[in-house]
Amino acid sequence: MRLDPDARFQLDQPFDRDVDLYIGAACLGKLPAGERNVPLSRLTVHFDHLADHKLEAKSDGGETVFHIDTRDFEKAYRTGGLLTAMQTALGGGKWRIYEIGIKDGSIYADVGFVFPLSIRTPATVDLLCNGMSGVLLESKYDTHFGRTHWFMPPENVVRHKYRFPFSQVEGWAQFHLRALNGKSSDAAHYRDQWNFTNRDMLAELPDDTRIQRVASAQANRASFLNGGKAAYEVIKTLSHRYGSVASKPEIKVLDWGVGCGRVARHFETDSAVQMTGIDIDKDNVGWCSENLTGVYLHVETAPPTPLPNGMFDLVYACSVLSHLKEESIDQWLSEVSRLLRPDGLALLSFHGTSNAVSYLSRRPDELRALMGGKLFDADRNHELQGFISDEDYYRQVFSSDSWWHQKFSEFFEVLAIEPAVLSGFQHVAVLRLKP
């Protein structure tokens, strides 16, 4: 039996009984009958011992049932030190609130983290909810993050359960990671998470079908609202940090890839903002025009747009470049530069190295090419199928941070790359027009 690289390093066939997996004397855990997914995270821990001890499946009685051939796996990740490069490339900022609830006068939160190698583990996390520190109740391996971060040491992929003092809040519960191992600097790239506190806030949102075209097939109204709020707060903070919008009485803002207003709806609460949104999804643009107060336009998959030169103080895009081939990237970056005012700011999210190693973690040849300077755009994204004419247009796109920096530099002055702050831990390029 072998780990099949064509099946992304699953068993080529499942066992017909429960077995325990061993490397030498080290037990990796039980593999149930019918299961093909070997715990790669445990293989990683013992990676250097695989060549000497091999991977064995044993019955309850302790006798060896099968030897599992791991040579393809070892070769794939040993060549060029790929496994080490993946672990090193994984940056900070990856955390997610899975669930919150109120019980017996307390707020409970179920939270997942992926810590980079630079963080000493087990990490001590100082997490606040509306300014109040939480008490850690439970810590275990995060199997959700573990599926795409199997290459990290298990102690770096954790799921915590916290209890916070209950406080009566209106609007939003804000979760803030204040420090890791006592260091606020190590927590700086973990953006705040937000959660609505009143179910009335879910009223007047788009239907799930529209939401899922914007925010993935697993999205719902709650995640749409919370994610939009978190993105809005990040964009607002960055625009104040790097731009001059805070000093202007009137700000013209463009949401490139507005969808059904996930972020734009929050900008519309600011009376100083004149909001414009564009998107290739005509149906979602129509929803925005009917339900929001800004100006929303359907545009073609290739620019130019009908908007005038130098119109906007701020242009932002959440998860747009992460779906475009290089030719389209070039066309749209040129269009954004045309639309910006001379002192304007562009905040554009993209999938950099850290997300690439997660997405391509079981596709070592493609990952190695990406880390060598290539753009990955081989996978189609089907979320807009039936809503755009060219079904080959919308992709899943990743490249290295250096590739993206070079690409942005062709069109803009790059002020900063803010890591893992938007839309599924995407980086944000902070850009302005070249002098």
Side-chain angles (χ1 to χ4, degrees), residues 3 41 104 216 225 353:
L3 284 182
S41 60
D104 299 331
S216 87
L225 185 62
T353 309

Side-chain angles (χ1 to χ4, degrees), residues 161-209:
K161 187 172 183 178
Y162 293 92
R163 183 180 69 239
F164 300 90
F166 177 77
S167 63
Q168 190 67 40
V169 294
E170 293 185 8
W172 296 95
Q174 179 183 7
F175 292 86
H176 174 69
L177 205 160
R178 181 164 60 182
L180 285 172
N181 297 328
K183 296 181 179 179
S184 59
S185 57
D186 286 341
H189 293 304
Y190 291 77
R191 67 168 187 173
D192 289 358
Q193 306 276 353
W194 300 78
N195 206 96
F196 68 92
T197 61
N198 185 332
R199 296 200 67 84
D200 291 343
M201 297 169 68
L202 297 175
E204 300 180 357
L205 293 181
D207 59 84
D208 284 352
T209 301

Side-chain angles (χ1 to χ4, degrees), residues 207-220 383:
D207 59 84
D208 284 352
T209 301
R210 289 189 170 96
I211 285 172
Q212 288 165 3
R213 295 206 303 276
V214 171
S216 87
Q218 292 74 43
N220 54 36
E383 288 166 1

Side-chain angles (χ1 to χ4, degrees), residues 5 11 22 34 48-49 53 56 58 62 71 96 128 137 171 198 247-248 273 281 304 353 377 408 424:
L11 288 176
Y22 281 84
D48 292 337
H49 302 291
H53 296 287
E56 296 178 317
K58 296 184 178 182
R71 286 175 295 180
R96 174 174 291 146
L128 308 180
L137 303 178
N198 185 332
S247 62
K248 294 185 175 183
V273 169
D281 183 339
T353 309
D377 63 0
F408 292 128

Side-chain angles (χ1 to χ4, degrees), residues 234-282:
V234 168
I235 293 166
K236 182 176 69 172
T237 297
L238 295 180
S239 66
H240 290 179
R241 181 184 303 166
Y242 293 101
S244 59
V245 296
S247 62
K248 294 185 175 183
E250 184 178 276
I251 308 161
K252 291 188 175 181
V253 177
L254 175 65
D255 185 327
W256 167 34
V258 67
C260 48
R262 186 172 71 106
V263 180
R265 66 187 306 109
H266 299 281
F267 267 101
E268 289 191 348
T269 63
D270 186 339
S271 60
V273 169
Q274 290 188 14
M275 194 71 213
T276 301
I278 58 174
D279 204 285
I280 61 175
D281 183 339
K282 189 173 184 178

